[in-house]
Amino acid sequence: MKQIEVRLAVVLYGGVSLAVYIHGVTREILNLVRASKMFHAGAKATPPAGDSTAIYYELFRKLAPSLDLRVVIDLISGASAGGINGVMLAKALAHDLPLEPHRDLWLKNADVTSLSARGGLVGRVTKAAMAPLFDHFLIRQFGKQVADPETRDKLRQFIQAQWFTPPFSGERFAGWMLDACDAMEEKEEKNATLLPPGHRLDLFVTLTDYRGHRHRILLHDPPSVDETEHRRIVSFTCKRALSGEMVSEFTHDDAPSLVFSARATASFPGAFPPATIAEMDRLLAERHRDWPTRQNFIEHKLAVADQRIGSYFIDGSVVMNKPFSPVIQALGNRPASREVVRRIIYVDPNPHRETNQRGDQGTPGFFRTILTAMALIPRNEPIADDLRAIQDWNERARRMAEILAAADPQVEKLVDEIVDANPENPPSIAEISRYRSAANEKTHGGAGFAYLSYQTLKLRRLIDRLSALIAALAAASGATGDAAQVSLLLDRMIAPNGDDGSSRLVPFLRAFDVDFRVRRIRFVIRRLNELYRTMEDAGLRLESGALDELKAALYELIERLTRRWEIRCYGPEAAAAAVEVARAAAAFETPTFTMFGPLERSMELVRIDHDLDEIISLMGLNFLPPMARRAVTMSYVGFAFYDLITFPILQWTDMDEINEVLVDRISPADAHQLGADRVILKGTALMSFGAFFNRAWREHDYLWGRLNAADRCVDVLISAIGPRLSEPLDADRLRADLFRAILESEAPHLTADPGLIPGLRERVAQSV
């Protein structure tokens, strides 16, 4: 059965009250991922009827005879309103939690009267006396946007609030988010997650540090300058090992850190007071709640150097409202156990920002110029640079594929000269080891000057990583460890002294070069994933059972290898050796290879090499069909040739997917299926604060978020599947089923506008 994994990276823009729409989008995307997880869990999990999850589940089931489709979200980035929703979506994905509690947060509490700080709105008497005057002003200023009495009444109260004081309560808002997190966890199952084994989820939230932090930049003259940067990108990670073990930063203990990040990224200047650690401390003290990860969050996430100085954080969209770059930078180092289709989905709740929002008619006045410069322009910076970065990524992916394809004939010839091919008698473990060593020697001997640059780059990366590990081990033991000094010590140890340095270099690489081994295993897995398409093109059928078992064994070795860079994997002997190396580096002593003996024994790379040879010999070359055995041999034995070509190009960039990345948008402008050129969200009114003044408007935007997302999810799936199905999907029928399920599930909750659900049901009936 053909296996495809659709990997989604989700980028969520800001938009003040348009957060309600974004929540609807994230609810629907979560349903798609949950249906994928339930389908792959087999009979152990089936979705309840009555919502879109069941429709997606049925789609996966119908595809199953010919296509095993999996949908995973592994990257999320958000700013402001998108940052709040990104935090909650990531928490739901990490631990398979519902987002329904957040529907109430947005529909009930995201109202100007609930958000306002105590005492911020004027009393009933003043309000009544001033009502006619304010109504005249509001109608003249906003026209049809305030035709609704509820909206006009709440906007009147808002304008009469105390001047020069943020009208919204950040503490109250953070409290609601804590309540919503707790409600998500009420029915949490132990070790539940929507991440498949071997996957990780990364969340990035943008903040604006009001005071900023200083960076020293080295120049020529003067020798250095100090620059202040206000952008902060806070990240959280959840990793699920192949064994099922979870390492998560989205647990109950992490909730205050997550909520602080959400509160800070949405701290719209003037509407909310800046977010502070002191505010979060007060809120938690009132609730008698601990914050176990507080110190780690402050030091390593916020990177606040001096906690005695108050740090203030304001809306993340001030510095980055369209946070593509964190996602683009994180695309590498994403291993695949099946063919991967990568999509970046960005959610833009207001793609057609009207020019009159900036007052483009005539010459802008004094106050409007200031407002536009501070509040509007920073949130509308173009994404051209980020999209060009994705184009560059795609170009590199195509170039890498072309380079590998061009090298294949030559590598096959070289490998055939090394390997004794005998289909009736697959090579033993010892023979596989001998072939691998011979390929390394042949690569060195035949590469000429090209090998020098390859070796230098590979050695430099290894020294940098090993130095950082030794310094961290020394610091964890209470000693002083300087990675730069350790790096110089390693340079002195390996530097040539009367020979070409191979007497020290080769043992050093054999003992410590973790990354070369990881690259080799991932390259083998990549070739195995290509087998599905190769054998399909050749008219052959590939049973995936043995192949899946081989890939699972290879991924277990990758886990063993990547843990070698984590200090928690080392015992007292290795730690003591790291302390000794750090001391010798600080004293500029002449190093010896013996000093690194405990570290070499702890890494066990020679043992891992033997285990890998055993897996390749027994699982790869004994039980796979001939074409698959050929692919394993060429990629494993011949990897030294491929690495010589590709590593100088990639260098420090991990590009394990080596797939093109396509970008899709979810927005009200893409809502064509229900007979509308585009949907105008109610929240775009009143400078994007509109939904805070009317519940019916919030319900409208939330529901359209779900409908838009369902429509676009179908487009993404059809694009990802491509021509792989013998019969095309009935996309219109699938969309109609999803729309009906969404309307049915939301009807009991969306009652402020009696015509909303019936009107959309009629549209669905007309669209089929």
Side-chain angles (χ1 to χ4, degrees), residues 488-653:
L488 291 173
L489 180 140
L490 290 171
D491 285 336
R492 296 196 302 274
M493 184 181 75
I494 301 169
N497 184 18
D499 59 15
D500 61 358
S502 60
S503 60
R504 290 173 297 282
L505 177 60
V506 173
F508 181 72
L509 294 175
R510 185 180 294 121
F512 300 111
D513 197 353
V514 173
D515 292 347
F516 175 82
R517 279 122 168 141
V518 172
R519 292 196 304 273
R520 180 170 59 201
I521 299 173
R522 286 178 174 162
F523 186 75
V524 173
I525 293 173
R526 171 182 165 81
R527 288 302 204 198
L528 292 175
N529 290 334
E530 292 173 351
L531 276 176
Y532 294 104
R533 183 173 60 252
T534 304
M535 296 190 72
E536 204 174 73
D537 294 342
L540 302 173
R541 182 175 177 81
L542 176 63
E543 296 296 335
S544 62
L547 207 59
D548 292 343
E549 290 181 9
L550 172 59
K551 288 191 291 186
L554 293 175
Y555 270 115
E556 287 181 4
L557 276 183
I558 288 178
E559 279 197 6
R560 285 175 59 189
L561 284 166
T562 53
R563 283 199 298 267
R564 274 21 188 198
W565 296 126
E566 300 174 7
I567 62 174
R568 62 189 178 94
C569 295
Y570 295 92
E573 184 185 15
V579 170
E580 178 62 20
V581 170
R583 184 202 60 76
F588 207 76
E589 294 179 1
T590 302
T592 63
F593 202 84
T594 308
M595 295 172 61
F596 296 86
L599 280 169
E600 178 184 3
R601 290 190 293 273
S602 298
M603 280 195 164
E604 295 183 315
L605 295 189
V606 175
R607 170 64 181 274
I608 291 177
D609 286 340
H610 179 272
D611 293 345
L612 180 56
D613 292 338
E614 183 177 10
I615 290 171
I616 294 296
S617 174
L618 299 182
M619 298 182 68
L621 303 182
N622 277 277
F623 296 103
L624 294 180
M627 183 177 286
R629 290 202 301 267
R630 177 76 171 169
V632 171
T633 303
M634 289 298 137
S635 57
Y636 185 65
V637 176
F639 175 71
F641 300 112
Y642 288 111
D643 199 47
L644 174 68
I645 299 168
T646 60
F647 185 71
I649 298 174
L650 297 178
Q651 296 185 31
W652 275 262
T653 302

Side-chain angles (χ1 to χ4, degrees), residues 211 304-311:
R211 284 201 168 98
V304 176
D306 190 347
Q307 297 177 41
R308 294 171 299 175
I309 301 175
S311 294

Side-chain angles (χ1 to χ4, degrees), residues 646-719:
T646 60
F647 185 71
I649 298 174
L650 297 178
Q651 296 185 31
W652 275 262
T653 302
D654 290 317
M655 199 175 177
D656 299 307
E657 288 184 9
I658 320 185
N659 296 305
E660 292 192 48
V661 178
L662 302 184
V663 182
D664 297 277
R665 183 181 71 174
I666 296 178
S667 82
D670 306 315
H672 306 301
Q673 190 61 28
L674 290 177
D677 290 336
R678 62 182 173 124
V679 176
I680 303 299
L681 297 183
K682 306 293 187 180
T684 58
L686 307 176
M687 304 290 287
S688 293
F689 280 82
F692 290 153
F693 292 89
N694 192 301
R695 170 151 185 152
W697 291 7
R698 293 194 291 279
E699 292 184 1
H700 171 277
D701 290 359
Y702 162 71
L703 184 57
W704 271 108
R706 289 200 64 184
L707 295 172
N708 286 169
D711 187 3
R712 298 296 285 143
C713 283
V714 172
D715 292 336
V716 169
L717 292 177
I718 291 175
S719 169

Side-chain angles (χ1 to χ4, degrees), residues 166-188:
F168 293 158
S169 169
E171 224 169 296
R172 190 178 303 175
F173 189 42
W176 290 333
M177 286 189 282
L178 275 174
D179 292 340
C181 286
D182 291 343
M184 292 172 72
E185 298 171 359
E186 284 181 358
K187 297 182 180 180
E188 181 179 3

Side-chain angles (χ1 to χ4, degrees), residues 673-675 707 732 735-741 743 757-768:
Q673 190 61 28
L674 290 177
L707 295 172
D732 290 341
R735 287 189 178 94
D737 290 344
L738 287 168
F739 295 156
R740 278 191 287 265
L743 295 175
I757 299 290
L760 286 168
R761 281 176 173 157
E762 185 177 343
R763 282 199 190 187
V764 173
Q766 294 172 355
S767 70
V768 180

